[in-house]
Amino acid sequence: MTMTYADIIAEADERYPNGLSVDSKLLKIYNHERRLMRTIYRRKTATVFDVMAGQFLYPLSFHYSKIFQAIYAGKLFEYEDINDQIGNPPFIYTYQNSIGVYPTPDRDIPGGLHLFHYLEPVRQTEDTMASIPTFDPDFPMVLVYGLCKDIAEVNREFDVANGFISQLNSELEEFKKANIEPAPAEFRVE
């Protein structure tokens, strides 16, 4: 059975009883997931927008820095091309936490803007604790030990934190072994 955020907190509380609030623990899990997804668990996903005539900005539910490719009006934009307005339109650009298109569309294009980006975790609340973490559900103990380590550091019990760091590192090694990217096939040109 896959562990939820509530299960992760309950497991951490069993391993290291503490007086921190649920909100504090959820924040620590969120920060740990963000760190993992920025470094060793970079999963790709896509978001599709319906382009609307007269609308040039589309709010993002993720940070714009996570975009690595986009397709708009049949044109592929690599990360380097976003915000680069050299050449012929159309252009796409970021503004605050929105993606913009130039020139302003003059017609509706269903599914006309595709953004390819890295997945980000969602910050949980007590109302959403029954959801499953964004981080690999096969390795929930990574989040449990990370939470225990953070709680021990808050309590200034650094020797206990070091024990949890050791367990966390062991889980991370298992995770890395289970997620080894296969080597690309060797091609010979003669």
Side-chain angles (χ1 to χ4, degrees):
M1 183 171 97
T2 304
M3 291 178 78
T4 65
Y5 287 97
D7 296 331
I8 288 167
I9 289 173
E11 184 69 23
D13 288 345
E14 276 183 30
R15 292 173 184 274
Y16 188 69
N18 61 84
L20 293 183
S21 70
V22 171
D23 282 339
S24 176
K25 293 172 193 174
L26 287 171
L27 177 60
K28 287 168 181 41
I29 294 170
Y30 172 68
N31 285 332
H32 198 60
E33 272 192 299
R34 287 182 57 211
R35 197 169 31 255
L36 290 166
M37 295 183 78
R38 195 173 48 242
T39 56
I40 66 170
Y41 191 69
R42 293 185 59 93
R43 294 296 180 247
K44 297 175 181 177
T45 190
T47 301
V48 179
F49 293 91
D50 291 330
V51 174
M52 309 299 288
Q55 182 178 343
F56 60 92
L57 281 179
Y58 299 85
L60 300 174
S61 60
F62 53 91
H63 195 269
Y64 66 84
S65 67
K66 303 297 181 195
I67 299 169
F68 60 87
Q69 268 184 341
I71 298 174
Y72 172 63
K75 182 177 177 183
L76 175 67
F77 295 84
E78 296 293 341
Y79 175 77
E80 305 81 34
D81 300 327
I82 297 171
N83 293 320
D84 182 5
Q85 298 174 4
I86 297 175
N88 296 321
F91 303 116
I92 62 171
Y93 59 94
T94 57
Y95 178 75
Q96 295 177 350
N97 208 43
S98 295
I99 192 87
V101 295
Y102 176 83
T104 301
D106 58 3
R107 63 185 171 89
D108 293 350
I109 309 171
L113 176 61
H114 295 247
L115 301 179
F116 302 93
H117 57 94
Y118 294 106
L119 194 60
E120 288 183 312
V122 175
R123 181 153 180 206
Q124 303 299 312
T125 66
E126 288 190 51
D127 295 333
T128 62
M129 287 176 41
S131 59
I132 296 169
T134 309
F135 184 71
D136 191 329
D138 291 337
F139 291 89
M141 295 308 290
V142 168
L143 299 175
V144 171
Y145 291 134
L147 177 57
C148 289
K149 173 200 78 76
D150 290 348
I151 294 169
E153 288 174 349
V154 166
N155 291 335
R156 306 183 80 65
E157 294 181 359
F158 298 108
D159 54 335
V160 176
N162 285 335
F164 287 122
I165 289 171
S166 176
Q167 291 173 304
L168 172 61
N169 287 340
S170 177
E171 285 290 317
L172 287 173
E173 286 304 314
E174 286 295 315
F175 170 80
K176 289 176 186 175
K177 286 179 191 172
N179 288 285
I180 293 175
E181 294 280 332
E186 186 174 315
F187 293 100
R188 297 190 88 194
V189 178
E190 294 182 23

